[in-house]
Amino acid sequence: RSTMDHQPKFFENLSGTGKAIGVLTSGGDAQGMNAAVRAVVRMGIYVKAKVYFVYEGYQGMVDGGDNIVEVSWESVSSILQVGGTVIGSARCKSFRTREGRLQAAYNLVQRGITNLCVIGGDGSLTGANLFREEWSGLLEELAQKGKIDEEAVKKYAYLNIVGMVGSIDNDFCGTDMTIGTDSALHRIIEVVDAIMTTAQSHQRTFVLEVMGRHCGYLALVSALACGADWVFIPEYPPEEGWEDSMCVKLSENRARKKRLNIIIVAEGAIDSHNKPITSEKVKDLVVQRLGFDTRVTILGHVQRGGTPSAFDRILASRMGVEAVLALLEATPATPACVVSLSGNQAVRLPLMECVQMTQEVQKAMDEGRFVEAVRLRGSSFENNLNTYKLLSHKKPDAELPKTNFNVAVLNVGAPAAGMNAAVRAAVRVGITEGHKMFAVIDGFEGFARGKIKEISWGDVGGWTGQGGSILGTKRILPAKYLEKIADQMRTNNINALMVIGGFEAYLGLLELSAAREKYDEFCVPMVMVPATVSNNVPGSDFSIGADTALNTITDTCDRIKQSASGTKRRVFIIETMGGYCGYLANMGALAAGADAAYIFEEQFDIRELQANVEHLTEKMKTSIQRGLVLRNENCNENYTTDFIYQLYSEEGKGVFDCRKNVLGHMQQGGAPSPFDRNFGTKISAKAMQWISKKLKETYRKGKVFANTDDSVCLLGMRRRNLVFQPVAELKNETDFVHRIPKEQWWLKLRPLMKILAKYKTSYDVSDSGQLEHVAMHSPKEAETGAI
């Protein structure tokens, strides 16, 4: 959509005056629902609409009375970090009857509520749609019975509905991620990591059963994220004779000195005849055939529990705000819609199109059309499955192609969680493509010193869950070692380079490509995969490691906030990493519910600091007891963390006291989050496939020669797609002095944090508002599609 044909649209111009919005959570609970409720309430109040809680889902709507209550700004204070849903959810039989819906309509009309925001699964959303279609008929009937007058029938003639999908199964078509999925993956991965240590000690096999009656997403992604030996999901039943092939695989792994086996089973797993495959059945099989010491762990409701991950809080907050915008813009002609994320882009989709497609998947599975079922799940699911198949089973050497190409992998820059998952994927995909893989120890410096060795399939087993960088990583750039690195490239006959790292990796590739005129050795395909907690690499919305760091910041903020409960009013000043890039401070503030975030990208002066202090002072006069302020480490050389701490302490005297906290290097450590493992694995596998393609294209007369710009690329996530971009072209997009991209997508979310913290602000919403259709993607698109 070109920006020429319409003026930017600002949400300040949308008013909710005179409108009433009801918000309810329905169906199974999911972590992050509270963040969505909070965003709807605050955004609603912000645009001057009235907002009502509907307690206990549809049951509360039918029962009315105290179940439908108008709420204030403070009603949703401190619920962001709470799992489940604070307004309750119930399965409701009566809403399925017309009488029940008639009563619900009466209860809503009594309060003038004609806008509903429903957070739940596909069943809850289908119910909402039916309610909307029947609405005018229900009002007519109420008028005939004399319960409401004709005036009310006219005044409340239309019901607008916007849905958000809250479901840990991620079983809803049209949305990349449903609210709660990422948190459920966190729970599963925490358990798997813990089980791996005990299984390792006893040489055990563990069969883990995860949730997902009709959808294998959780099982598939957790298998991908922990490198499981085998996975059973409903959409992709194993082939006939799977019992034999699984046992062969498990015993081969043991023969390779692997001390443990992990098998993941979705609760709805089936074989090709639609017969269930249970975790017990799998266990008995392993014991009978192989005699391995085998244990079953059923994760059950643990997966629904716990605090929402940073990803789910941000997702739910973005969706909640988008939902209110959609309600403000709804007309009688617009269909009920769901707000969701596609890649990194907020979208609105017709609710019933999504529901129909979700039902199509189930139908395809029931009828045994499994290839179709996987395709209908969407490109992200299909991509996961293909990557899993690629990485989990090593073909016998005889079956592998032989390309005679040597590819080297190295880590550059500061450590970031997920780097090892990326190395593992690169090595395994490279071997599958027929190359010899080499690992470089300690970055460019190690390269110059000849610290390079061949690395095999088995060498990278168990790497996905390890934090830091196993290969070792250094910030040193190649410029001063060019001669020595060229020697090593020649000696080891390296035909392609894969660099996993942060801003230094990007600078390194620029230096190597500049040195091509002098050294032929650098005339080979080179690709970079962004990995840095700072998320400051041009050409990519996300970098490996940033999600893990964000979760660390969020967890720490939660703890810090909790430390103040029971004390008098207190404000915390927290310093985050990121160099000059404000990503961690800004997104951390959104996920932790902070009052302000000071970042380099948005200059601030003493007047702004003063306004923030006054804002907090006002807030502390209400029932709110705690304030949180994040500051990026380099946001301003004079307004240091100490300065801000002292300013707040002085200005807040008598109202609140202050504490400060510098988070430091804990942001670079820790086991990688499910997102970083998955992102690292997929993006790296894709980069390796690009290398193979480039090697074929540039192989002439017995040698590889690549010296065009498009043979040195960075693979990044851009809005909805993974894109290869020549590093030379990214130069114009880079601020080299401050080591950040000139334009950063997340700055658009900055107003969101301010709105949710009750600041008046301007918010450009030109991007949202177009109702799209659910795209049936073609198989071709699956390769470029979502993560």
Side-chain angles (χ1 to χ4, degrees), residues 24-30 33 54-63 85 87-97 119-127 166-169 171 211 213-214 267 301 304:
L24 70 145
T25 52
S26 171
D29 70 323
M33 279 183 164
V54 179
Y55 286 102
E56 311 306 338
Y58 289 120
Q59 191 64 54
M61 204 192 292
V62 174
D63 296 346
T85 161
I87 57 176
S89 170
R91 310 253 174 221
C92 175
K93 291 228 167 68
S94 49
F95 192 74
R96 295 186 173 185
T97 64
I119 307 163
D122 57 347
S124 316
L125 298 180
T126 314
S167 149
I168 64 166
D169 295 341
D171 54 0
M211 281 186 166
R213 266 196 313 262
H214 307 296
E267 60 180 333
H301 282 73
R304 286 190 190 278

Side-chain angles (χ1 to χ4, degrees), residues 471-487:
L471 292 183
T473 179
K474 285 252 167 52
R475 287 178 180 271
I476 291 158
L477 293 171
K480 56 179 177 184
Y481 298 118
L482 288 172
E483 182 104 13
K484 288 181 173 167
I485 294 175
D487 283 347

Side-chain angles (χ1 to χ4, degrees), residues 484-561:
K484 288 181 173 167
I485 294 175
D487 283 347
Q488 288 300 330
M489 299 266 293
R490 194 168 53 252
T491 313
N492 294 288
N493 189 22
I494 300 296
N495 309 111
L497 269 189
M498 174 148 161
V499 185
I500 299 163
F503 204 83
E504 287 86 359
Y506 165 64
L507 293 175
L509 281 193
L510 286 172
E511 291 180 1
L512 291 181
S513 58
R516 280 175 161 182
E517 294 165 26
K518 200 171 170 194
Y519 302 98
D520 273 1
E521 288 83 355
F522 300 138
C523 295
V524 297
M526 302 188 217
V527 69
M528 168 183 168
V529 169
T532 163
V533 298
S534 306
N535 198 20
N536 63 334
V537 177
S540 191
D541 288 359
F542 295 114
S543 58
I544 299 166
D547 183 69
T548 306
L550 207 50
N551 275 297
T552 305
I553 292 169
T554 311
D555 290 348
T556 313
C557 287
D558 285 353
R559 286 187 183 186
I560 287 173
K561 273 165 95 172

Side-chain angles (χ1 to χ4, degrees), residues 56-77:
E56 311 306 338
Y58 289 120
Q59 191 64 54
M61 204 192 292
V62 174
D63 296 346
D66 293 344
N67 290 302
I68 308 177
V69 187
E70 190 180 347
V71 288
S72 69
W73 190 272
E74 285 82 38
S75 308
V76 290
S77 175

